[in-house]
Amino acid sequence: MDAAIKSIRPGKPSDRQPENRPAELDPAEFLGAAVRADQPRPARAEAEAAVKTLLAYIGENTEREGLLDTPRRVVEAFDELYQGYHQCPAEVLDRTFGETAGYDDFVLVRDIEFTSQCEHHMMPFYGKAHIAYTPVERVVGLSKLARLTDIFARRLQTQEHLTAQIAAAIDEVLKPRGVAVLIEAEHTCMSVRGVAKHGASTFTSRFTGMFRDNPAEQARFLSLVRGTTR
């Protein structure tokens, strides 16, 4: 489906984009690291104490052997799971290559696996991203699109926002003729809690430039993603 991605924090009605165009994102959301070097942050000891408090809240004995090192392990896991806050998306896309022999069709990287964390419940959602862009003279290394996906995925997210950020970063840095992003994912916040509907998949998409304006290019992208051209 091609859902219109609206700003997570919409402004006044007069500031909103027309309904037939995607809302613009603040470049700070997708061009730089989310955490500044001078940004005040709790000390590691404070973070570990917070984990210990949560363990006590659920009724655990925080002094039993199996939990003595759990606060440290949880904070270390957070450092890994949320490393995207300290990485710069623009730097990942910064190096491009011009030896393309005049290639003028779109480039598609399909089935990029990712895991992210829902910002509402801090529970994982995971799936695949499919990314295409139509270059202008220069291309970016294929692995960079996977790295870009991981940077945004390793932050607290909604799937809609993740989709929009990936497309916006490619659009802004590479200046291609168009970008297409399709993400399919399963959310554990609805598969293992709440309505507990295991196996339900969520699809989000974002199209810019020629993909947004040309239905035939959208259809060709979706056909290649689904493998129906084989």
Side-chain angles (χ1 to χ4, degrees):
M1 69 179 184
D2 185 10
I5 307 299
K6 297 184 178 179
S7 173
I8 300 302
R9 298 173 181 83
K12 295 179 293 185
S14 59
D15 297 332
R16 295 174 187 168
Q17 298 293 317
E19 289 300 319
N20 63 337
R21 295 290 183 180
E24 296 297 329
L25 296 177
D26 181 348
E29 292 188 31
F30 57 83
L31 290 184
V35 176
R36 304 186 315 274
D38 61 347
Q39 181 173 326
R41 299 170 60 203
R44 178 173 289 269
E46 293 177 281
E48 292 182 7
V51 175
K52 191 171 183 179
T53 296
L54 290 174
L55 290 171
Y57 171 76
I58 65 174
E60 269 288 0
N61 173 12
T62 59
E63 301 304 318
R64 68 178 178 86
E65 182 181 7
L67 293 180
L68 289 178
D69 281 339
T70 296
R72 174 184 59 80
R73 293 191 185 105
V74 169
V75 173
E76 289 177 352
F78 269 39
D79 287 341
E80 180 179 354
L81 292 171
Y82 300 115
Q83 61 185 279
Y85 281 105
H86 305 277
Q87 297 172 328
C88 179
E91 290 180 1
V92 169
L93 300 174
D94 189 52
R95 186 181 180 188
T96 59
F97 305 91
E99 295 180 350
T100 62
Y103 184 84
D104 61 358
D105 201 355
F106 66 71
V107 177
L108 167 65
V109 180
R110 192 175 69 177
D111 297 331
I112 301 171
E113 295 186 350
F114 74 90
T115 299
S116 189
Q117 309 288 321
C118 166
E119 67 180 30
H120 300 138
H121 301 96
M122 295 185 71
M123 295 185 68
F125 67 95
Y126 54 89
K128 296 178 179 180
H130 315 284
I131 302 172
Y133 73 102
T134 305
V136 178
E137 297 182 355
R138 302 184 67 82
V139 297
V140 71
L142 300 178
S143 68
K144 304 304 184 184
L145 299 180
R147 292 184 185 278
L148 180 71
T149 301
D150 279 343
I151 288 177
F152 289 126
R154 290 181 180 271
R155 302 176 181 183
L156 290 176
Q157 282 287 12
T158 66
Q159 185 174 328
E160 297 88 344
H161 203 203
L162 175 63
T163 307
Q165 285 180 314
I166 292 171
I170 297 170
D171 214 29
E172 179 66 24
V173 178
L174 299 183
K175 307 293 186 185
R177 288 195 290 273
V179 180
V181 178
L182 175 67
I183 292 181
E184 52 182 303
E186 179 171 338
H187 294 247
T188 60
C189 60
M190 69 171 286
S191 64
V192 301
R193 62 161 296 282
V195 295
K197 299 301 181 185
H198 178 75
S201 296
T202 299
F203 289 76
T204 51
S205 63
R206 181 79 150 193
F207 299 107
T208 74
M210 59 178 290
F211 290 101
R212 179 191 60 214
D213 300 332
N214 188 338
E217 287 300 286
Q218 286 188 31
R220 193 159 68 96
F221 165 76
L222 294 172
S223 177
L224 285 169
V225 166
R226 294 165 179 157
T228 56
T229 59
R230 293 178 182 176

